[in-house]
Amino acid sequence: MRKIEGIIDGPLTITDDSRFSGIANGDISVAPNVSFKMSGILNGDLIVGENSQVTFDGMINGTLRNKGGTATVVGKVSAVDDPSGSTVVSPDLQSSE
């Protein structure tokens, strides 16, 4: 699994199994049949491809657009567009200190 860390500006397309930790300023598109895990903040949309597995821990300041994959968000998301996928948003599961 490829690891990405830090701050990314601009759109990002994920084409292989990856893990990202940090801040993304721009849309993230996850290609079909790819596993993607992210923790942090996304200032843009998250587009989930067909048969993709996405786990997001943090905040999405944009729309989660699920186009046939499986997406789990632990945290907050501005909006969800899920015409053909499986999406679970669990804001209450965040740990508190």
Side-chain angles (χ1 to χ4, degrees), residues 10-67:
L12 178 64
T13 300
I14 305 296
T15 57
D16 55 344
D17 293 352
S18 302
R19 177 182 300 255
F20 177 70
S21 177
I23 299 171
N25 297 309
D27 296 346
I28 296 179
S29 297
V30 181
N33 303 305
V34 171
S35 174
F36 179 62
K37 296 180 181 181
M38 180 172 173
S39 61
I41 299 171
L42 171 58
N43 296 311
D45 293 347
L46 177 60
I47 299 104
V48 179
E50 187 173 4
N51 296 319
S52 291
Q53 303 286 325
V54 174
T55 303
F56 192 99
D57 185 1
M59 183 181 304
I60 300 173
N61 295 314
T63 301
L64 189 155
R65 302 183 189 282
N66 193 336
K67 299 185 175 190

Side-chain angles (χ1 to χ4, degrees), residues 58-90:
M59 183 181 304
I60 300 173
N61 295 314
T63 301
L64 189 155
R65 302 183 189 282
N66 193 336
K67 299 185 175 190
T70 301
T72 302
V73 176
V74 178
K76 296 184 179 184
V77 59
S78 296
V80 174
D81 178 18
D82 184 1
S84 61
S86 171
T87 302
V88 175
V89 178
S90 301

